[in-house]
Amino acid sequence: MRLATLAALPLTLALASPALADWQATLDAAKGQTVYWNAWGGDDRTNAFIQWVGQETERLYGVKVEQVKLTDTAEAVTRVIAEKAAGQDSGGSVDLIWINGPNFLAMKEQRLLHGPFTADLPNAKYVDLSGAAPAAVDFTVPVEGMESPWRLAKFVFVHDSARVPEPPRSMAAFVDWAAAHPGRMTHPDPSNFMGATFLKQALIELAPDPAVLQQPVTDAAFEATTGPLWAWYDALRPNLWRGGATFPENQSVQQQLLNDGELDIAMSFDPASTAAAIEQGLLPDTARVFVPEGGTIGNVSFVAIPYNAAHAAGAEVVANFLLDPATQAHMQNIEVLGSFSVLDPAKLDDAGRAAFTALPTAPALPQLEDLGPTLLEPHASWMTRLTGEWARRYTK
């Protein structure tokens, strides 16, 4: 079954906080604005979805969206920092950022964020924002209304089941598997978030005390906790693709290697991406998702508004539109983007539930219960130290 077009679905504008008059004032202020959404531009389907968002927000609210494609989110953060240093406390060039982890922490600590605003979005009523809910914490850092969720991410591996009927079921088991199948797996460069996540996934499994990862890193904790990781990686690396001397730039390049038959295993931060890629002819029909038995890292992708955004009202309208149940269902459609929704199913009304029920299915599309436990991201400071140490050890 194909999902009906968004125009055929009821776009909810259910109001919680602020009051109707306050949100109407935001809509009035936003009309005619162009929101410059700074977002990673390395995935064509995500770029197409952002373009569609702009078409819909312009049609519904008179708010245009212009994607500023980034190779690294830090590019946008650096721009905001430079504007603050120059005293440009209004009229900033960045209106909305797809942001996570270390970059959110840096902007929050430097008071570079607009807000809190999330609870003021009418469609926030569909999201669980309580306590330690996934949408309330970003890499252990409390969100506190300074960013709004828009898509769910969960780390998964992808294998060609025709060539690898029984993939490794733990990070430790990758060492033996790679030794038996030299050159048939690799990971993206850890300077890319996907490669960094591969290392973090292994770190969580191999750490003597994983609980320490939920605290800011210290020199002593880093040395004690990462020792087993480097021993594991030293054993794995010689049997990686090209002897571990070079790495794919990102997930897309690695997926192409899998499709070309040069690799047997790849990875993704989107459990639906494999089914979506098969639909597009970018992976063989035999590609399937698998996860280690102990579960994998999961997190929520957020959007944030810089403190000096020139079009903050328009950015709030876009953030609110992203949380509309019809938008979230459209996004979850594997024929569109395939990212799992951030909404709480228990909070949906009948129309919202119907939009998700209508979504297409596919043999390679896992159910959430197939993906095992969701492991908490380490504190953002761990990723910075981890990728830096990897580069020191393994690059010349």
Side-chain angles (χ1 to χ4, degrees), residues 42-126:
D43 179 67
D44 290 341
R45 284 164 66 87
T46 300
N47 296 340
F49 176 75
I50 291 174
Q51 182 180 26
W52 172 84
V53 168
Q55 293 169 351
E56 291 300 306
T57 56
E58 183 176 10
R59 178 178 68 85
L60 293 165
Y61 309 112
V63 176
K64 297 181 180 180
V65 173
E66 187 74 33
Q67 183 184 358
V68 180
K69 296 178 181 177
L70 307 175
T71 56
D72 190 320
T73 306
E75 298 168 22
V77 178
T78 299
R79 201 175 313 132
V80 177
I81 292 173
E83 289 173 352
K84 184 175 180 64
Q88 189 177 347
D89 292 332
S90 62
S93 61
V94 180
D95 295 316
L96 194 66
I97 307 176
W98 175 8
I99 195 167
N100 279 90
N103 291 299
F104 170 66
L105 176 62
M107 293 193 76
K108 188 181 182 188
E109 288 182 339
Q110 296 179 62
R111 303 177 67 85
L112 296 176
L113 295 171
H114 163 78
F117 72 93
T118 307
D120 293 340
L121 304 178
N123 288 327
K125 66 180 263 184
Y126 299 114

Side-chain angles (χ1 to χ4, degrees), residues 214-395:
Q214 296 301 301
Q215 303 299 321
V217 68
T218 64
D219 290 344
F222 187 79
E223 182 176 355
T225 304
T226 60
L229 172 71
W230 304 129
W232 168 84
Y233 192 80
D234 287 341
L236 175 69
R237 186 187 179 204
N239 294 309
L240 295 178
W241 177 70
R242 296 186 177 177
T246 186
F247 299 88
E249 180 182 355
N250 54 40
Q251 169 193 341
S252 298
V253 175
Q254 188 179 32
Q255 178 178 280
Q256 184 63 53
L257 292 170
L258 179 64
N259 191 47
D260 291 344
E262 196 165 342
L263 295 176
D264 293 331
I265 293 176
M267 56 200 71
S268 172
F269 226 137
D270 182 352
S273 64
T274 298
I278 292 172
E279 177 87 11
Q280 291 181 288
L282 299 176
L283 280 177
D285 291 345
T286 49
R288 293 294 184 269
V289 169
F290 74 97
V291 295
E293 291 176 349
T296 57
I297 292 171
N299 64 44
V300 170
S301 288
F302 296 89
V303 289
I305 304 171
Y307 83 105
N308 65 342
H311 309 111
E316 288 193 13
V317 169
V318 174
N320 186 62
F321 177 79
L322 290 170
L323 292 177
D324 189 285
T327 303
Q328 289 280 305
H330 183 73
M331 179 187 68
Q332 189 168 309
N333 185 349
I334 60 171
E335 297 165 4
V336 177
L337 185 55
S339 292
F340 281 93
S341 171
V342 298
L343 305 185
D344 182 349
K347 295 179 179 291
L348 295 176
D349 56 20
D350 290 343
R353 284 189 290 272
F356 286 94
T357 301
L359 293 176
T361 60
L365 182 65
Q367 300 298 312
L368 280 176
E369 55 266 27
D370 300 329
L371 299 176
T374 297
L375 307 178
L376 293 176
E377 284 275 9
H379 187 273
S381 58
W382 281 88
M383 187 171 81
T384 304
R385 286 287 299 272
L386 194 64
T387 56
E389 179 64 11
W390 181 91
R392 187 189 70 80
R393 287 171 175 263
Y394 303 109
T395 61

